[in-house]
Amino acid sequence: MLLTAKYVIPVTSPYIEDGAVLVRDDQILDLGTACHLKDKYPMEEVRDFGLSALMPGFVDVHTHLGYTALRGMFGDLPYADWKRHVLHTEPFFTEEDWIDSARVGALEAVASGITTIADISASGVTLVPAKEMGLRARVYYEVLTTQKEHAADVVREGVEKIERWKEEYGSDLLDFGLAPGPVYGCHPSVFQAIADVAIEKNIPVAMHLAGSQEEADFIRYGSSPFGVHVSEHEQGKLAAYPPWLPAGTSPVSYVSNWGILDVPGILAIHCVHVDDHDIGILRDKQVRIGYCPRINAKLGMGSMPLEKFWAAGLAIGLGTDSPAAVDTTDMIDEMRIGLMITRATSSERFVQASAKTALRMAPIGSAQALGIEDTVGSLEAGQQ
């Protein structure tokens, strides 16, 4: 079938006016001007989209679609308070509630042009709607414990969980990985254990990192509201946090010391509270970055130094993060707000922070961040 439109935007090459894309089965075979491809493939069925633009589906590097039903419930709160309210609400949801919530989020993702998601979950609820709707998805199983003696066990259970997911849901469109819980919610042995098994078994890894001032203060100084919040998450009740020895360093340096940044292709989400030394570590370890500007802005988490990440040559993808905070799974809104924040904070303004750069970040930038740029993220012959 020939898909034609006023504009075809391959993303990795210049746009084509009055363009066409040849698609057969699940693969792109050719693209060019509509008149040329109609002459080249005279027997091909044509589907014309008129005055519109055809471009690759968006790749969302970070989602929590199970939280869609919590949208609008916790407005005007800083990150730590928002997190506490979300944790307190979770026990009221049944398993079917979580799946239905993820269905709503997945429907909205598709409606906004997202065709690939990377979701972090302790339950895998996104797998059901992803399979129902034909989304490409990487689902990371979240692993956490504050107890050193439990670290090896929870990681082993995590590996077993994703093996069961493969058996039940596995397909060409679905794959699986591991994600440590929040840095303030994990004993550091969890990071080392995940690194060891991920490197051995070639398991994708993603993690939230340096996303808030509260996290940075907790790791460096041991002073943070997370001392209580973590215990609530793990034990389901208010309890004192286990004795914590402040690391005296940044979250990036802290987790790097425990080996997890050595996992090939690891995706680090947020990376807001970083200094030049941290950026050097991320560059040297070839860490890939997930940029989620709307949630960073709404919860007062800060702004990623995107300009410095570009200069360091890091692979950067765009994520919509939790609907419980940002209210919509909308990649175009994510691009627009991220672009405006970067222009407001960047010394180069329009040099790097252009609409063209933002448009590239959502499909091909995100595909590169997930290591799947040979499959999706651009309109090229051979792509899915």
Side-chain angles (χ1 to χ4, degrees), residues 57-242:
F58 296 133
V59 179
D60 191 341
V61 297
H62 183 54
T63 66
H64 297 279
L65 295 186
Y67 289 90
T68 303
L70 298 184
R71 61 174 51 163
M73 293 182 65
F74 314 120
D76 207 28
L77 294 173
Y79 173 69
D81 291 339
W82 170 84
K83 185 72 172 178
R84 183 184 63 195
H85 280 78
V86 170
L87 294 178
H88 282 170
T89 306
E90 288 180 2
F92 295 99
F93 274 51
T94 67
E95 181 180 358
E96 192 59 35
D97 290 335
W98 287 114
I99 293 174
D100 286 342
S101 181
R103 282 189 174 109
V104 176
L107 283 167
E108 188 168 75
V110 172
S112 79
I114 295 168
T115 57
T116 300
I117 59 170
D119 194 275
I120 292 180
S121 170
S123 61
V125 295
T126 306
L127 287 167
V128 175
K131 191 161 188 175
E132 290 172 346
M133 297 175 201
L135 278 166
R136 184 181 299 276
R138 176 177 295 163
V139 179
Y140 298 95
Y141 180 71
E142 187 176 44
V143 173
L144 74 161
T145 180
T146 58
Q147 307 298 321
K148 180 179 181 180
E149 61 270 24
H150 297 158
D153 289 339
V154 298
V155 173
R156 184 183 67 254
E157 291 166 5
V159 174
E160 293 171 354
K161 172 67 79 171
I162 63 176
E163 289 300 325
R164 289 196 295 271
W165 284 350
K166 287 179 184 178
E167 293 176 5
E168 187 173 357
Y169 299 100
S171 73
D172 292 341
L173 294 178
L174 302 179
D175 72 334
F176 311 94
L178 292 173
V183 175
Y184 52 81
C186 285
H187 190 278
S189 297
V190 173
F191 305 133
Q192 187 66 66
I194 288 178
D196 291 344
V197 73
I199 292 171
E200 177 190 350
K201 296 180 178 292
N202 194 30
I203 297 173
V205 174
M207 68 181 301
H208 301 85
L209 182 60
S212 66
Q213 189 65 54
E214 293 93 338
E215 175 190 320
D217 288 347
F218 182 71
I219 299 303
R220 190 179 295 276
Y221 307 117
S223 59
S224 167
F226 290 137
V228 171
H229 295 174
V230 169
S231 296
E232 291 173 337
H233 188 74
E234 184 159 281
Q235 301 176 18
K237 60 182 179 180
L238 191 65
Y241 190 80

Side-chain angles (χ1 to χ4, degrees), residues 210-213 270-274 279 291-309 337-346:
S212 66
Q213 189 65 54
H270 298 314
C271 295
V272 169
H273 294 273
V274 295
I279 294 173
Y291 180 38
C292 307
R294 287 190 301 162
I295 196 169
N296 293 163
K298 184 169 183 178
L299 300 182
M301 299 166 72
S303 178
M304 177 192 286
L306 196 56
E307 180 184 20
K308 291 185 176 182
F309 285 175
I337 290 177
L339 178 62
M340 290 191 292
I341 290 172
T342 303
R343 283 180 178 171
T345 57
S346 168

Side-chain angles (χ1 to χ4, degrees), residues 23-84:
V23 176
R24 287 183 186 155
D25 298 322
D26 64 348
Q27 198 169 54
I28 296 170
L29 297 185
D30 204 352
L31 68 160
T33 63
C35 60
H36 174 67
L37 263 61
K38 286 177 181 178
D39 287 342
K40 190 175 179 180
Y41 306 100
M43 304 303 293
E44 202 71 37
E45 179 185 352
V46 177
R47 184 177 179 188
D48 182 30
F49 290 90
L51 187 61
S52 59
L54 288 177
M55 62 176 294
F58 296 133
V59 179
D60 191 341
V61 297
H62 183 54
T63 66
H64 297 279
L65 295 186
Y67 289 90
T68 303
L70 298 184
R71 61 174 51 163
M73 293 182 65
F74 314 120
D76 207 28
L77 294 173
Y79 173 69
D81 291 339
W82 170 84
K83 185 72 172 178
R84 183 184 63 195

Side-chain angles (χ1 to χ4, degrees), residues 277-329:
H277 178 68
D278 295 330
I279 294 173
I281 292 174
L282 297 171
R283 179 197 62 226
D284 294 344
K285 303 284 187 182
Q286 298 183 35
V287 175
R288 299 167 184 181
I289 307 298
Y291 180 38
C292 307
R294 287 190 301 162
I295 196 169
N296 293 163
K298 184 169 183 178
L299 300 182
M301 299 166 72
S303 178
M304 177 192 286
L306 196 56
E307 180 184 20
K308 291 185 176 182
F309 285 175
W310 279 328
L314 295 169
I316 306 167
L318 205 60
T320 59
D321 211 321
S322 176
V326 296
D327 298 339
T328 62
T329 303

